[in-house]
Amino acid sequence: MNREEFLDLELDDQIAYLNSQCEAGKGINDISAEISMDQREMGKFGIYFVKDRFMGKPMRGYQTAKRSGNEVTKFDGAEVLEESKGAKL
C-alpha cells in the first residue's frame, strides 16, 4: 500500500492495517518505509506507535484535511452558544 492509498482510509482502517502489518512480523521501520511516512508524520495524522502496537488519537488534530465530526461552526449552532456568553461569531 502506498502513501496515498493509506491516507484515503479512515482512521480505524489505518490502525487495523498497521497493526496487521505488525502481527505479520514487520517492524516499525519496514512499515514506515512501505507507506513513506515516519513516526513524526504519523503523529500529525493522529497515529502513534506504543509498545509494539499502533493506536489512533480519538480526535485527530488540525494537521489533517479530513473532518473528525467534532467541529462546530456558526452554522451548526455555535452562534447561539456564543450569544449566551455575550459574544457573537
Side-chain angles (χ1 to χ4, degrees):
M1 178 177 293
N2 64 26
R3 181 185 176 105
E4 290 78 28
E5 293 170 342
F6 179 77
L7 292 176
D8 286 340
L9 297 173
E10 293 295 323
L11 179 62
D12 293 336
D13 297 329
Q14 290 174 342
I15 299 301
Y17 172 76
L18 293 171
N19 284 326
S20 70
Q21 295 297 308
C22 285
E23 291 169 5
K26 291 186 179 179
I28 181 70
N29 293 332
D30 298 328
I31 297 169
S32 295
E34 184 178 322
I35 61 172
S36 303
M37 292 176 72
D38 61 6
Q39 282 185 292
R40 181 185 53 81
E41 287 179 287
M42 287 184 201
K44 287 183 179 180
F45 289 101
I47 300 170
Y48 299 96
F49 187 70
V50 180
K51 295 185 181 180
D52 298 328
R53 186 170 171 228
F54 285 94
M55 294 197 269
K57 205 172 177 183
M59 186 171 163
R60 288 182 164 196
Y62 296 104
Q63 301 290 338
T64 72
K66 291 184 179 182
R67 289 184 60 134
S68 67
N70 295 320
E71 298 87 358
V72 177
T73 65
K74 68 179 185 177
F75 303 110
D76 293 334
E79 186 174 60
V80 175
L81 294 173
E82 291 298 321
E83 282 179 0
S84 65
K85 296 179 183 175
K88 193 171 181 179
L89 293 177

